[in-house]
Amino acid sequence: MGRGSRPRGRGRLRRHRTQTHRAWLRANEERLWLRETWQRFFAEAEHDVLITPAAPTPAISASSRTLVVDGVERSFFDQTGWANLTSHVGLPSLVVPVAQNVDGLPIGVQLVGPAYSDPTLLAMAEVLASLLGCPPGLPEGRAGEAPDR
């Protein structure tokens, strides 16, 4: 790498994976503010569960690292926006398959709850599964149970 040029490969990756302590403190302060904001949302609005899309598109093939949206190839990581909405502030969430696209790939919704509401989310997932029926390709039974082998 020449003088004044941008780092390539691993050097660039390492540069983006590290930060100063000051930058971490600022990011942590923002994370705590966001956590408090979410706590107020659930408390003031008296909501037990927030339902969001699981991803901007249906699932992509397990072997793929990219997807095509409106004719443009995009990174697989573009699919993580909805999960990134709350995971970094410690809110529990889970994804429930609710349908399939024309290729048979699952379309899901994400259930998000306030801190420590895991039992509520699991109960809601069971209710959704019973209302929607078991999606094709999944074993019959309770939501979240491993199939008998």
Side-chain angles (χ1 to χ4, degrees):
M1 181 169 83
R3 191 177 208 128
S5 63
R6 296 176 61 194
R8 293 186 205 159
R10 285 190 206 190
R12 185 174 185 192
L13 178 64
R14 285 186 187 127
R15 183 176 63 111
H16 289 291
R17 287 181 22 184
T18 60
Q19 60 184 330
T20 65
H21 183 63
R22 179 180 294 206
W24 181 88
L25 287 172
R26 283 187 193 131
N28 191 51
E29 199 171 295
E30 182 175 343
R31 182 184 62 81
L32 293 172
W33 177 82
L34 287 170
R35 185 177 174 95
E36 289 173 15
T37 302
W38 278 108
Q39 287 173 335
R40 275 194 314 277
F41 167 79
F42 283 110
E44 293 172 5
E46 298 180 7
H47 296 301
D48 294 328
V49 176
L50 172 67
I51 301 175
T52 71
T57 68
I60 61 174
S61 168
S63 62
S64 180
R65 300 303 287 166
T66 62
L67 66 153
V68 177
V69 177
D70 294 331
V72 177
E73 191 169 306
R74 311 270 312 243
S75 167
F76 160 81
F77 293 103
D78 287 352
Q79 292 290 86
T80 63
W82 285 101
N84 292 339
L85 179 67
T86 57
S87 62
H88 67 290
V89 295
L91 297 183
S93 65
L94 59 85
V95 173
V96 178
V98 295
Q100 290 183 340
N101 70 2
V102 295
D103 297 323
L105 294 171
I107 299 171
V109 295
Q110 176 181 231
L111 307 180
V112 179
Y116 311 110
S117 65
D118 306 62
T120 301
L121 295 180
L122 291 169
M124 178 66 133
E126 282 212 19
V127 169
L128 278 175
S130 68
L131 289 173
L132 299 171
C134 187
L138 294 180
E140 295 293 330
R142 291 172 33 123
E145 281 187 357
D148 295 331
R149 301 218 184 248

